[in-house]
């Protein structure tokens, strides 16, 4: 999924406040605020395969939170010899491993140590975030997941990313 496809897809599945009528007061506003994606005034041309970098540079995703994932502002991108840091998974930095293009979770205390592999590339990471958000909304509104664990593992890129996806799925199920 490209950055623009991701933005369009997230906006398309974002419900209005009345969809949350069974939730506690204030829940809808908080949830919907975390799905906010704005347009940046300036547009930077980014290579098509760099979907996450395109998203961070060309859209305001500073409020966007999907499950436990969030993004940096464009001026907060950090590049090292091996990685491009672009966001967070809770307290752990998210990065693109330049050598393979994979999205990885880094150790917060050691920016050279990979904690887990999240997705096979940037486009797949956006696919995974979208699928996770679909699951979240489906669980909130209809009390039923849209996707099963096997589908989410496939979206992430296969068995190499299974541990991370299972951890996300289990954490989500506990929060229901």
């Amino acid at each position: 999924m490209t950055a623009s496809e991701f933005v369009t897809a997230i906006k398309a599945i974002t419900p209005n406040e009345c969809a949350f009528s069974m939730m506690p007061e204030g829940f809808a506003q908080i949830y919907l605020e975390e799905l906010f994606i704005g347009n940046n005034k300036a547009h930077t041309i980014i290579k098509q395969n760099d979907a996450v970098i395109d998203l961070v540079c060309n859209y305001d995703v500073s409020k966007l939170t999907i499950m436990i994932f969030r993004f940096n502002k464009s001026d907060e991108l950090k590049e090292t010899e091996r990685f491009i840091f672009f966001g967070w998974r809770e307290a752990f930095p998210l990065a693109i491993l330049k050598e393979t293009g994979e999205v990885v979770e880094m150790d917060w205390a050691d920016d050279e140590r990979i904690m887990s592999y999240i997705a096979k590339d940037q486009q797949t990471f956006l696919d995974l975030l979208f699928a996770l958000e679909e699951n979240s909304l489906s669980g909130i509104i209809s009390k039923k997941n849209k996707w099963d664990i096997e589908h989410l593992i496939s979206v992430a890129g296969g068995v190499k990313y299974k541990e991370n996806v299972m951890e996300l799925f289990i954490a989500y199920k506990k929060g229901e």
Side-chain angles (χ1 to χ4, degrees):
M1 184 176 289
T2 66
S4 63
E5 290 168 341
F6 177 77
V7 170
T8 300
I10 290 294
K11 287 181 178 183
I13 66 167
T14 301
N16 58 32
E17 282 189 43
C18 66
F20 299 100
S21 61
M22 302 302 281
M23 302 305 284
E25 186 176 330
F27 178 86
Q29 293 83 6
I30 292 167
Y31 194 92
L32 295 173
E33 185 176 300
E34 289 182 345
L35 288 179
F36 174 78
I37 302 173
N39 291 320
N40 282 347
K41 292 178 184 174
H43 184 80
T44 305
I45 297 175
I46 308 290
K47 290 187 283 182
Q48 186 173 355
N49 290 344
D50 289 337
V52 169
I53 303 303
D54 186 8
L55 182 68
V56 172
C57 288
N58 290 313
Y59 297 91
D60 176 5
V61 288
S62 60
K63 294 181 182 178
L64 180 63
T65 304
I66 296 181
M67 289 185 75
I68 56 175
F69 296 100
R70 56 188 163 66
F71 294 91
N72 292 344
K73 294 179 182 175
S74 61
D75 61 350
E76 296 172 339
L77 287 174
K78 176 184 157 192
E79 190 167 348
T80 65
E81 189 176 311
R82 294 182 59 213
F83 302 100
I84 301 172
F85 293 85
F86 67 87
W88 299 88
R89 178 186 167 169
E90 293 182 316
F92 296 92
L94 293 174
I96 299 157
L97 178 58
K98 290 179 181 180
E99 182 181 330
T100 64
E102 291 171 292
V103 173
V104 295
E105 174 188 19
M106 304 300 294
D107 185 342
W108 60 269
D110 179 358
D111 66 3
E112 287 296 315
R113 182 171 172 249
I114 297 172
M115 298 294 291
S116 67
Y117 291 83
I118 296 174
K120 72 176 183 174
D121 58 35
Q122 293 179 57
Q123 296 86 345
T124 302
F125 178 67
L126 295 184
D127 290 336
L128 177 62
L129 289 183
F130 179 72
L132 290 169
E133 186 55 37
E134 277 187 312
N135 249 18
S136 180
L137 282 170
S138 181
I140 291 169
I141 294 169
S142 70
K143 304 288 187 223
K144 183 179 180 213
N145 286 327
K146 180 171 180 134
W147 305 114
D148 62 19
I149 189 77
E150 289 79 21
H151 177 77
L152 294 172
I153 292 167
S154 174
V155 169
V159 285
K160 181 175 184 179
Y161 312 97
K162 181 178 181 174
E163 182 180 327
N164 176 65
V165 173
M166 289 191 64
E167 184 179 309
L168 292 169
F169 198 77
I170 290 167
Y172 169 76
K173 293 298 255 176
K174 284 182 182 178
E176 285 186 326

